[in-house]
Amino acid sequence: MQYRPHDLLWLNSEPVFTQQTDWLHQHWSLALPVVVRRDWRDDGAIPVGIRGKGRGQRAAGWVMPEQVVGYLPPETLATPAHIANSSFASQAPLRAAAQLCQHNWPWVWGITGSSGFALATGQAVLHRDSDLDLLIRAPVAIPREQLFAWQQVVSRLACRADTQVETPCGGFSLNEWLRDGRVLLKTSTGPYNTQHPWQPVTGETF
């Protein structure tokens, strides 16, 4: 199974953490998923992140494929039924996500960040100022005017929303792409500055 950044994974044993923090074992357990992050190791390990209840509570770790017992990609969460059945459906980020579901977009999109975590787990991680984090799957280049149409709808939502576009080469901020025509492309080996996020990276690394 090829897991991708932002996928949620449930495990049968604890990750190997890159660092230990005081909150980690108080707020996270095997009942909660980890999220796939960008990194790479040549032994086949999967890079994952753990989130606690607070904004600054994040920890990085690694798991092996045989530890994974459940899998949920963010696009699975972006359905009217899934949102309506959430106990947080009345909160602004999920109301905004429900609005996006009313459009027939020509691509696969999903919900990530705290909104996705709340939808997937029922954990109360949303607050009054929470953003809506979104993902667009873009295996091939999407015309700029189509992405601009998405952004126009997103800009009118009831809360702040940020969109990450996922290409075969990495992920980039849609706001940055529409504004500058070039992006900092996030890849498993580091970020690259490029004008061509659907092409293998050859730009300057940071």
Side-chain angles (χ1 to χ4, degrees):
M1 186 74 187
Q2 185 68 41
Y3 302 112
R4 298 177 289 185
H6 305 290
D7 287 348
L8 295 175
L9 307 180
W10 280 260
L11 309 174
N12 61 15
S13 57
E14 189 174 278
V16 175
F17 297 106
T18 57
Q19 60 183 21
Q20 295 289 334
T21 61
D22 292 337
W23 60 265
L24 189 55
H25 296 286
Q26 297 174 5
H27 300 306
W28 183 81
S29 71
L30 289 176
L32 296 174
V34 297
V35 60
V36 179
R37 59 185 176 86
R38 297 182 203 280
D39 206 340
W40 180 82
R41 232 167 63 176
D42 60 7
D43 62 354
I46 305 165
V48 297
I50 314 294
R51 68 179 301 143
K53 292 186 176 180
R55 276 185 170 181
Q57 292 180 337
R58 302 290 186 271
W62 296 86
V63 301
M64 299 307 294
E66 56 267 25
Q67 292 177 256
V68 179
V69 295
Y71 152 69
L72 189 69
E75 51 266 40
T76 304
L77 301 168
T79 67
H82 209 121
I83 295 168
N85 290 333
S86 170
S87 57
F88 310 112
S90 64
Q91 297 201 29
L94 297 194
R95 294 202 314 271
Q99 286 181 259
L100 284 173
C101 289
Q102 296 173 9
H103 297 262
N104 185 24
W105 302 108
W107 48 68
V108 174
W109 66 279
I111 304 171
T112 65
S114 58
S115 298
F117 195 82
L119 278 170
T121 66
Q123 293 288 302
V125 294
L126 292 175
H127 53 80
R128 184 176 59 186
D129 299 321
S130 289
D131 297 344
L132 173 61
D133 294 305
L134 301 163
L135 174 148
I136 290 176
R137 299 286 188 199
V140 297
I142 298 174
R144 186 183 181 88
E145 60 271 16
Q146 290 187 10
L147 290 172
F148 184 72
W150 162 278
Q151 190 60 26
Q152 283 186 308
V153 174
V154 166
S155 67
R156 295 193 294 266
L157 296 175
C159 70
R160 175 179 167 82
D162 293 309
T163 304
Q164 183 91 356
V165 180
E166 291 288 326
T167 81
C169 302
F172 65 87
S173 163
L174 178 57
N175 278 336
E176 186 180 358
W177 175 247
L178 293 176
R179 183 185 66 240
D180 302 331
R182 64 183 300 117
V183 291
L184 197 64
L185 186 69
K186 301 172 186 175
T187 78
S188 60
T189 56
Y192 289 81
N193 198 333
T194 180
Q195 291 180 295
H196 308 288
W198 281 272
Q199 297 179 10
V201 291
T202 56
E204 181 181 357
T205 185
F206 287 83

